[in-house]
Amino acid sequence: MELGTSCFQSDLDFCPECGTILPLPGVQDKVTCVRCSFSIDVQDFEGKVVQSCVEFNRLGSVHVMIMDDGQEVKGPTIDRKCPHCGHEGMVYHTRQMRSADEGQTVFYTCGQCKFQEKEDS
C-alpha cells in the first residue's frame, strides 16, 4: 500500500485518502479509488475475506393506512420520529415528482396521528 500519501489510516474496504468505498479487486494490478484516483496494489488484498449482507423485510411488513379523506397509503415502516406527535415509526413511499435527472421525493406518514411530511432528495 502506498502509505506516503494517505491522510488517515483505514481498512482496505475504504480509500485511505478520501474515505470512499473502494471497488472490489479485479484483474488489474491496482485497485483505484473512483473519487480521488488513489491506488492500492491488488496484492495487498490477498487473503482478505469480503462479506456482504442484504437484509430483507419480512413478508407482510408493508403497512396500509386509510387517511381521513379515504386515500390509502401503503409502504414499509421506518424508524423516524413524527415531528407532530413524537410517535416512533412512519410509513414512507417515494415518487418521482421532478425531472428524471433529479432525486425522488420521499413522503412520510405517521401511523399514529396521520401527519404527513415530504423530503426532496
Side-chain angles (χ1 to χ4, degrees):
M1 186 155 62
E2 301 170 359
L3 297 174
T5 60
S6 67
C7 293
F8 55 90
Q9 186 176 5
S10 70
D11 193 19
L12 283 177
D13 296 331
F14 301 94
C15 173
E17 184 65 29
C18 69
T20 301
I21 297 174
L22 290 173
L24 292 174
V27 295
Q28 300 85 4
D29 293 337
K30 295 198 176 278
V31 173
T32 303
C33 176
V34 296
R35 183 168 183 257
C36 71
S37 300
F38 184 88
S39 62
I40 299 173
D41 194 318
V42 76
Q43 291 180 347
D44 290 343
F45 288 87
E46 189 173 317
K48 179 163 175 55
V49 176
V50 177
Q51 294 180 330
S52 64
C53 177
V54 177
E55 187 173 322
F56 293 97
N57 293 329
R58 297 184 323 269
L59 287 175
S61 65
V62 172
H63 292 56
V64 177
M65 281 193 270
I66 307 296
M67 302 303 287
D68 293 337
D69 61 359
Q71 179 184 0
E72 187 178 276
V73 178
K74 63 170 79 169
T77 302
I78 188 170
D79 292 333
R80 183 180 176 111
K81 186 180 268 190
C82 175
H84 188 256
C85 72
H87 176 73
E88 187 67 44
M90 297 183 82
V91 173
Y92 73 94
H93 68 280
T94 61
R95 283 203 182 128
Q96 187 69 38
M97 303 296 284
R98 297 172 287 163
S99 62
D101 64 338
E102 296 185 38
Q104 295 183 3
T105 301
V106 183
F107 294 89
Y108 298 96
T109 306
C110 177
Q112 185 80 24
C113 71
K114 309 293 191 267
F115 175 78
Q116 290 184 321
E117 65 178 343
K118 70 177 185 173
E119 183 177 281
D120 295 319
S121 53

